[in-house]
Amino acid sequence: MRRITFLILLFAATLSFGQKNNDQKKTVSILFIGNSLTYYNNLPELVKQTAREYNVRVKYEMVAKPNYAIVDHWAEGKVQKLITKKKFDYVILQQGPSSQYEGRQMLIESGKDYKQLCDKTNTKLCYYMVWPSRTYYHTYDGVIKNHRDAAKLNDAILLPVGEVWKAYFDRTDNFQYYGPDGFHPSLLGSKVAARVITEKLVNELKKSN
């Protein structure tokens, strides 16, 4: 009887270790598509570093150019080839604040093209919600609404970085997440963005397990 009990406990311990080991080896691949709000402070690398805290390995590629909207990347054609050939787990779209009508339409209509392609490759589409410059802070609600609407309409994952930033600003009246130019993120701001993105994706991983 003791031997049987011992074997059961040994099996349970082995199974538990195996589960932890599998968690540690969980790897996700991400394609970041955006502009300077993505490549500033190397946001993808910060996401990779933050993900280690959750025992998740991140492999990533970044296609980001100054002042680019997601429609500009689509027009070049590089991102379509990457999504089709490499079959990422997640594609993260980012463009400027998009508080106005034109930006809203780009998020929704161009996002639809990305969504259709991602569905074909079993890839999850994400919207990286950014923020307005401090000069245009009064447009912040529009930024939040348009990103939320685009994600909902295209059945995509929302990464609500801009919303988290605004909650902090409203609570503290401290704008340290902005860099010196009042638009691009400080290193702290990028680290906060990386944590919001990582925690959201980790939660998505838990849902799929």
Side-chain angles (χ1 to χ4, degrees), residues 33-35 65-80 95 106 110 114:
I33 300 172
N35 54 41
K65 296 183 179 182
N67 302 314
Y68 261 49
I70 58 176
V71 66
D72 298 319
H73 286 294
W74 188 267
E76 286 190 348
K78 179 179 179 179
V79 293
Q80 294 96 309
Q95 66 176 22
M106 287 183 190
S110 186
Y114 284 92

Side-chain angles (χ1 to χ4, degrees), residues 1-8:
M1 185 67 180
R2 289 182 180 178
R3 178 176 174 78
I4 293 174
T5 303
F6 172 77
L7 289 174
I8 291 173

Side-chain angles (χ1 to χ4, degrees), residues 26 90 124 155-159 199-209:
K26 181 65 178 176
Y90 299 98
K124 293 183 179 179
D155 192 24
I157 298 168
L158 181 66
L159 308 173
E199 289 181 353
K200 183 67 175 180
L201 295 185
V202 167
N203 285 334
E204 291 297 322
L205 286 173
K206 289 178 180 178
K207 291 179 186 178
S208 61
N209 289 340

Side-chain angles (χ1 to χ4, degrees), residues 156-203:
I157 298 168
L158 181 66
L159 308 173
V161 175
E163 208 163 356
V164 171
W165 274 34
K166 188 174 188 297
Y168 175 78
F169 298 149
D170 291 347
R171 186 175 70 254
T172 66
D173 201 31
N174 185 329
F175 296 88
Q176 61 183 330
Y177 294 169
Y178 283 106
D181 67 357
F183 180 47
H184 289 93
S186 64
L187 179 57
L188 177 59
S190 291
K191 286 181 177 180
V192 170
R195 184 157 298 278
V196 172
I197 291 170
T198 303
E199 289 181 353
K200 183 67 175 180
L201 295 185
V202 167
N203 285 334

